[in-house]
Structure formats: C-alpha cells, structure tokens
Amino acid sequence: MGMSEKNPWNKTNQWAEELDLLKSIIDKTELEEMTKWGGPVYTINKKNVVGVGGFKSYVGVWFFNGVFLKDEKKVLVNANEGVTRALRQWRFESKDEILKNEKFILHYINEAIANEKAGLAIKPEKKEEIISDFWLAELKTDKKLKAAFEAFTPYKQREFLEYIESAKQEKTKLSRIEKIRPMVLDGIGLNDKYR
C-alpha cells in the first residue's frame, strides 16, 4: 500500500469516477481529445475548447474562452484574476453534483464549441501605430536611409519612432533623428546594445 492512497495530489485516484463522468459528457460533443500539459484537453480545429482536471478540493472543467459564455447559472470562476482574461472554470466537489448538472455542463460545452466556431477569442491588444512626420520627411529625401529603415522588423522600427516621437520639442526630435541616422544606416537597432 504506499503513501499514494493518502496523497491529495494524486489526482487520478481521487477523482477517477468524477473525471470519467465528465469525459463521458464531453464525449457526447464533437470535441477531440488531446493531451496537453499532462492532462486531457478537448479541441475543435486544433483550438482548445475545454479541459478537465482534479485538484485537492475539487474537480473542474476549464473553458479556454469561457469569458464569452453566457453563464446563466453563474457557476464560472476566473481561477486567476488579473492574469487570465479568457479562461473560466466550473468546479465540482462530487459525482452527484456533476450528475445533477449534466445537461447544463453539456449546454455550456456546446455553447463554447459554437463560440469557437464563430471565432470568438480575445485578440491581443493592437498597439497604436506611431507616425513621425519628421522621420517620414527624412525618408522621403534619403532613399538609402529609407531602404535601411524598412529592413528592420516592425518592432525595431517602432522603437525608433517611439524614440523620436517621445521628445516633446521639435528641436529634440530633430536631434534624435540625427542620432539614429547612422544607426539605421548601419542596421543597428535602437536597443541592440542592451539586448
């Protein structure tokens, strides 16, 4: 017998029946099971939709884009406030609780599938584009400078533009342009020396 029976983190033993039950509910949907991060994750078109797992005091269903679910029953928790924007979790403490909610669990999962198909996802926030009129004027008059600047990645181009445009005064902007001109021509990014 070793210690394994008592270890609450022995996830598989503790919640075996509950996890089987949750899987049998998920099996009624079109999701495909894959193993990621050491646990079952259910996907559609290779996109994560739901996952299941057992923890010390509960067994849970994760909805990867759960933030879009209507959550009529008000059961979903954000397991990690402030960190996860989209992930939501539904926790159960017993097999009975799962059985009692079976049709709702199925309803939530089907809603999550429909949301995934509709392409609902939190998009990474797009940064505002930075435009520097002074720099554009420089590029217009200097073909070589323009070609050199365009060879940089958008990220590095942005760093240069931020550097110019964060100056308040026009003369500072112009002196910053003079400072970066040789760097651009040499293909050196603004922060390369720190990288």
Side-chain angles (χ1 to χ4, degrees):
M1 280 297 296
M3 284 297 294
S4 65
E5 295 297 300
K6 294 222 170 66
N7 181 351
W9 284 105
N10 188 341
K11 301 177 186 178
T12 44
N13 289 356
Q14 195 190 355
W15 301 104
E17 291 186 16
E18 287 80 359
L19 289 171
D20 281 349
L21 182 57
L22 285 172
K23 285 179 179 181
S24 72
I25 296 172
I26 297 169
D27 284 344
K28 295 176 181 172
T29 71
E30 57 191 290
L31 294 175
E32 282 179 67
E33 184 175 342
M34 296 169 92
T35 300
K36 295 188 186 187
W37 311 293
V41 169
Y42 297 86
T43 64
I44 188 162
N45 307 328
K46 307 262 182 290
K47 298 272 203 303
N48 302 334
V49 180
V50 294
V52 294
F55 284 87
K56 203 167 170 175
S57 57
Y58 65 87
V59 58
V61 180
W62 277 259
F63 294 91
F64 285 92
N65 269 315
V67 63
F68 297 109
L69 293 171
K70 295 190 189 77
D71 193 14
E72 293 101 342
K73 284 179 75 68
K74 302 281 171 274
V75 289
L76 299 179
V77 269
N78 182 342
N80 210 343
E81 281 294 347
V83 180
T84 48
R85 290 162 56 202
L87 196 76
R88 295 291 181 272
Q89 209 181 43
W90 188 348
R91 299 173 175 179
F92 305 97
E93 286 165 26
S94 67
K95 195 172 160 185
D96 288 346
E97 202 183 339
I98 297 170
L99 284 167
K100 202 171 73 200
N101 286 290
E102 180 167 358
K103 69 173 206 290
F104 291 110
I105 297 169
L106 197 57
H107 172 70
Y108 272 56
I109 294 168
N110 281 321
E111 188 188 339
I113 293 170
N115 288 348
E116 186 56 62
K117 285 182 172 171
L120 290 181
I122 289 188
K123 303 275 183 284
E125 286 156 14
K126 258 191 89 61
K127 290 188 166 165
E128 287 293 300
E129 209 180 334
I130 300 174
I131 293 159
S132 169
D133 297 328
F134 293 110
W135 183 244
L136 287 173
E138 289 293 313
L139 297 184
K140 275 204 179 82
T141 56
D142 189 335
K143 294 271 184 289
K144 210 162 142 194
L145 186 66
K146 187 176 194 298
F149 183 67
E150 285 170 356
F152 283 103
T153 61
Y155 181 78
K156 289 189 174 185
Q157 289 184 14
R158 188 185 167 84
E159 288 184 330
F160 282 122
L161 292 169
E162 245 167 9
Y163 175 67
I164 300 165
E165 287 304 307
S166 60
K168 303 263 182 294
Q169 296 178 344
E170 191 171 313
K171 66 170 196 290
T172 318
K173 288 183 184 182
L174 295 172
S175 74
R176 286 185 178 185
I177 285 173
E178 288 318 306
K179 203 159 152 187
I180 65 172
R181 180 194 297 275
M183 294 174 73
V184 173
L185 289 168
D186 287 342
I188 302 166
L190 184 63
N191 294 312
D192 281 4
K193 60 175 184 293
Y194 306 117
R195 286 199 168 97

